Amino acid sequence: MTKTAASNPIRDSWLRRMSGALYRRPRLVLATLLAPPVLWLVVIYLGSLTLMFISSLWRLDPATSAIVREPSLANFQDVLNPEKPYLQVAGHTVVIALIVTLADAVVAFPLAFYMARVASPRTRRILFITATLPLWVSYLVRVYSWRIILADDGFLNWALGFAGLRGPGALGDVPIAIVFSYIWLPYMILPLYAGLERIPNSLVEASSDLGGRAWTTFRRVVLPLAFPGLVAGSIFTFSLTLGDYITPTLFSGEQFIGNVVYAHVGVSGNVPFAAAFAIVPVAVIAVYLLLARRLGAFEAL
Amino acid sequence: MGGRLSRIGLRVAAAATVIFLYVPIVIVAIYAFNDSKNQSWDGLIERLGVKGFLGTFSLRWVDAALSNSQISESFWLSIQAALGATVVALLLGSAAAFAVHRHRFFGRDGISFILVLPIALPGIVTGMALNSAMNAGIDGFDIGPLHVSTPEFGIATIIVGHATFTVVVVYNNVVARLRRLGRSLEDASMDLGADSWQTFRRITLPSIATALFAGALLAFALSFDEIVVTNFTAGTEQTLPIWIFANFKLPNARPIVNVVALGMIVLSFIPVYLSAKLAGAESVASAR
């Protein structure tokens, strides 16, 4: 004789009473649902961030390499000290991030525009998947592939060799900008596409009805309306470049914010300084977001 | 819009962008199945010309990678970490999704913000923050006579880090499905006399099952690939991405790294492809 759960009257009524009781107490259900994820993120994540802020105020005693847990601004003074390299590192990182953002905007625009305004729904769906899939190919593998491509005896120099040209090599700011632009490109394509797709056809038609030539319509109607999408994409490309340390470690002799932070955690064990320097990209991004809002980038989002 | 010429120009530029996106991935695949130890592209093309693709096709480096104990250890560590993180993300993400979708409460709009924060902030910030906290936790603290400390850097800290930024993937998938479903089926079930447990098991769970599965697959793929945060939370343990990172610059390791790289591509593609099938292409896009 087998009894299934559904036909067991005792268990059935117990379950039924429990679910009835819970149904009458939505606040209890809510608390049970909400407590684990909120506690996890607040305690572990926000707690970690807070601890990072606090430990940025500590410092490493150079004599004993012990962490001195007294609040001081010594790390931030180091970051801002023009005689130390850190301001220059931060500036260099921001400039590269801006170049990467600009390059991505230029490369992404034609594809995003084609997807949103020209392609048939079927082609559009295929292109959408095509643009998304590289994001799911291991980040490291995509970085690695550029190492092979840009190597002296790699694919790029072979291809450029037919035109008698040589590539930029695999070390320095140019390859770094190329690799970053490649890796973050889908993050620019997708929001830009979303922004372009939202532009009502009627506006474009109205512009040409009123005598606007194609280029004028593009410049005066399409481009301004696509701006929020562009800014949304740029937030990704900019912020991701600021916070990356893997690519700079592998392609550059130059120092970036990311690998300075990483080196201070790993090699010298100066966690307080690393924490202080990790706050720099957070501050830069905050400024960037404020600027974007001033430019009206979020109004249409 | 525009003349013939600009139309053609647009097509060419769009096609060029697509090619740009995929050339590097194809190149890794070509190298992985090539017998050469020498990584020069000239040499590779020359031999391809002489022997043809099949002539140079070789599983030599695939074999070498499969029998490398460092690789298999880091592979299993990656799998375990990804499974652990996926389970946590599944529980926390779907709980948050139900809470947000079913209830009105103070701070509701803040939930998705706090969930997305770990991937929205630069990886170096998330990694650094978790590292500070874990360091402090390992040192421990005193509660009265008790000395409490958290686990040393290892699989536990890797899972905690990964779970923190994968919760949002499950959440996004489940909340999108719940919104699309609406509540009419559940209301009907309750009207017909089912209690809320029966309704959940017979109606709600089956209709969100694919979203749960898709979210889990994406969380797994995200965790399996991760390196930026993992480097800060793994201590001396090596996940597969960390192994690649460590061997990246060693010329002798190149042929094996090629194979591992291709393996990573395949292993992250399969879950993503499946979840796109299950929950639609948009779910895959919204997760990253």
Side-chain angles (χ1 to χ4, degrees), chain A residues 100 146 150 156 168 173-183, chain B residues 20:
Chain A
V100 167
W146 279 96
L150 293 173
L156 187 71
D173 279 342
V174 177
I176 268 216
I178 294 175
V179 176
F180 272 138
S181 308
Y182 171 75
I183 295 178
Chain B
F20 177 61

Side-chain angles (χ1 to χ4, degrees), chain A residues 272-295:
Chain A
F273 180 81
F277 206 37
I279 294 174
V280 173
V282 180
V284 173
I285 290 160
V287 171
Y288 191 82
L289 290 176
L290 282 177
L291 274 176
R293 203 169 75 172
R294 284 287 292 275
L295 290 170

Side-chain angles (χ1 to χ4, degrees), chain A residues 205-227:
Chain A
E205 282 160 13
S207 166
S208 57
D209 285 351
L210 293 168
R213 303 267 297 272
W215 173 241
T216 316
T217 304
F218 178 76
R219 205 167 47 87
R220 306 277 299 268
V221 178
V222 175
L223 217 47
L225 288 172
F227 187 68

Side-chain angles (χ1 to χ4, degrees), chain B residues 46-70:
Chain B
E46 199 176 304
R47 279 179 308 111
L48 279 178
V50 177
K51 293 181 174 177
F53 179 72
L54 287 177
T56 61
F57 180 89
S58 157
L59 296 177
R60 174 181 167 199
W61 299 114
V62 178
D63 263 355
L66 287 179
S67 55
N68 182 316
S69 67
Q70 261 186 9

Side-chain angles (χ1 to χ4, degrees), chain B residues 78-102:
Chain B
S78 280
I79 294 277
Q80 284 167 9
L83 284 176
T86 304
V87 169
V88 178
L90 208 51
L91 293 172
L92 299 183
S94 46
F98 272 97
V100 164
H101 184 251
R102 295 285 162 85

Side-chain angles (χ1 to χ4, degrees), chain A residues 256-266 273-275 277-278 281, chain B residues 124 128 232:
Chain A
F256 281 68
I257 295 178
N259 47 340
V260 169
V261 171
Y262 183 62
H264 273 91
V265 174
F273 180 81
F277 206 37
Chain B
I124 188 95
M128 190 59 230
F232 282 93

Side-chain angles (χ1 to χ4, degrees), chain A residues 97-98 100-113 184-199 218-219 222-239 288-289 292-293 295-301:
Chain A
L98 288 173
V100 167
T101 299
L102 204 66
D104 271 342
V106 171
V107 177
F109 200 89
L111 180 61
F113 188 84
W184 312 137
L185 183 59
Y187 289 101
M188 181 61 94
I189 296 175
L190 298 173
L192 196 53
Y193 156 76
L196 283 164
E197 199 201 13
R198 269 199 300 268
I199 301 173
F218 178 76
R219 205 167 47 87
V222 175
L223 217 47
L225 288 172
F227 187 68
L230 198 68
V231 174
S234 79
I235 291 168
F236 287 110
T237 55
F238 185 73
S239 146
Y288 191 82
L289 290 176
R293 203 169 75 172
L295 290 170
F298 298 126
E299 278 156 30
L301 285 177

